[in-house]
């Protein structure tokens, strides 16, 4: 079996503060990071009950949610690392608005759909560990695996789901237990590297 196509369905990044709570940033300071066409249509949702501020930048297909211990960056439309430098945006945001916060953990999420040139042999896989009666009742099938790297400082957790006879959906969550790099370019390089390595995991899988 061979992969014939792969489509990026979603992508995001997160910064996590383990040692201190984060003050919610003022709107003018966040909007100041983006100028010109990038700031067109920008808006703020301030949820005082949940203590969350969500900044949306339609021109960039970007949404930034600021919480008490983390900042999440979501691309509203998927863009590959060479199309949108999410790692650089994360670094600039952290170093400009939270210069005293180390952000001891950060990570990226990649949601990708893979098309194969042959039917994924689900029934054959099920028969290795499941009774035939249960197989007849099953409508969806998936599994999870975590790969530990960098002496435990990095964990790649993958959620696999067969969504059609020829298609596998894979959500890869990369967690790095180390401070955010001081250079934004290094964060971007990690963002691109982890994206490439998430495909390598799937490429090395063999169903037959």
């Amino acid at each position: 079996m061979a992969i014939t196509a792969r489509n990026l369905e979603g992508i995001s990044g997160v910064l996590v503060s383990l040692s201190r709570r984060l003050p919610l940033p003022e709107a003018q300071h966040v909007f100041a990071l983006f100028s010109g066409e990038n700031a067109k249509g920008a808006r703020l949702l301030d949820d005082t009950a949940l203590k969350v501020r969500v900044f949306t930048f339609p021109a960039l297909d970007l949404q930034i949610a600021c919480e008490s211990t983390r900042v999440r960056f979501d691309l509203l439309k998927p863009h590959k690392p060479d199309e949108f430098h999410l790692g650089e945006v994360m670094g600039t945001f952290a170093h400009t608005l939270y210069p005293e916060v180390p952000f001891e953990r950060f990570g990226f999420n990649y949601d990708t759909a893979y098309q194969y040139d042959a039917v994924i042999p689900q029934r054959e896989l099920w028969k290795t560990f499941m009774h035939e009666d249960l197989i007849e009742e099953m409508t969806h099938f998936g599994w999870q695996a975590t790969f530990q790297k960098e002496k435990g400082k990095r964990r790649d957790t993958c959620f696999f789901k067969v969504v059609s006879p020829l298609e596998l959906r894979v959500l890869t969550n990369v967690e790095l237990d180390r401070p955010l790099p001081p250079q934004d370019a290094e964060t971007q390089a990690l963002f691109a590297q982890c994206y490439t390595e998430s495909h390598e995991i799937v490429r090395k899988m063999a169903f037959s």
Side-chain angles (χ1 to χ4, degrees):
M1 293 179 62
I3 296 172
T4 58
R6 70 184 187 198
N7 298 302
L8 185 62
E9 303 290 341
I11 201 161
S12 62
V14 65
L15 304 171
V16 180
S17 174
L18 301 176
S19 59
R20 66 186 76 178
R21 298 181 70 82
L22 302 173
L24 296 179
E26 296 299 327
Q28 65 267 28
H29 297 153
V30 176
F31 291 137
L33 295 177
F34 306 91
S35 59
E37 289 298 314
N38 291 337
K40 190 174 182 179
R43 59 186 183 272
L44 163 66
L45 172 62
D46 191 355
D47 192 324
T48 55
L50 296 177
K51 297 182 179 179
V52 176
R53 285 182 182 164
V54 181
F55 300 87
T56 303
F57 299 88
L60 295 172
D61 296 322
L62 175 66
Q63 188 172 82
I64 304 173
C66 301
E67 304 173 14
S68 61
T69 58
R70 71 173 191 166
V71 183
R72 183 179 173 92
F73 303 78
D74 286 282
L75 288 183
L76 304 177
K77 294 181 181 178
H79 296 277
K80 296 177 182 178
D82 59 345
E83 298 172 340
F84 187 90
H85 291 187
L86 183 61
E88 287 188 10
V89 171
M90 292 170 63
T92 299
F93 193 94
H95 298 138
T96 303
L97 299 180
Y98 299 102
E100 304 302 321
V101 178
F103 287 108
E104 300 92 341
R105 178 181 296 162
F106 65 102
F108 314 105
N109 300 293
Y110 312 97
D111 186 359
T112 311
Y114 293 87
Q115 295 284 338
Y116 287 84
D117 63 353
V119 172
I120 299 171
Q122 297 182 72
R123 293 188 67 89
E124 286 70 17
L125 292 172
W126 300 341
K127 287 178 181 178
T128 62
F129 63 90
M130 191 174 295
H131 193 276
E132 188 71 28
D133 291 347
L134 293 176
I135 293 176
E136 294 303 322
E137 298 173 351
M138 185 176 293
T139 59
H140 296 85
F141 176 62
W143 67 97
Q144 174 186 336
T146 298
F147 305 90
Q148 185 170 279
K149 303 179 180 182
E150 299 178 11
K151 297 181 179 180
K153 293 294 185 179
R154 171 181 163 183
R155 293 176 302 279
D156 293 9
T157 300
C158 300
F159 301 87
F160 304 89
K161 183 177 181 180
V162 179
V163 295
S164 76
L166 297 172
E167 183 177 341
L168 179 69
R169 190 78 172 260
V170 183
L171 174 61
T172 302
N173 170 246
V174 180
E175 274 189 303
L176 296 117
D177 283 332
R178 51 173 157 135
L180 187 72
Q183 301 298 323
D184 300 344
E186 185 178 348
T187 305
Q188 173 60 25
L190 280 170
F191 172 58
Q193 174 189 333
C194 292
Y195 173 71
T196 299
E197 291 177 356
S198 71
H199 295 313
E200 285 299 302
I201 291 173
V202 180
R203 189 183 64 81
K204 292 177 180 178
M205 291 170 51
F207 290 111
S208 59

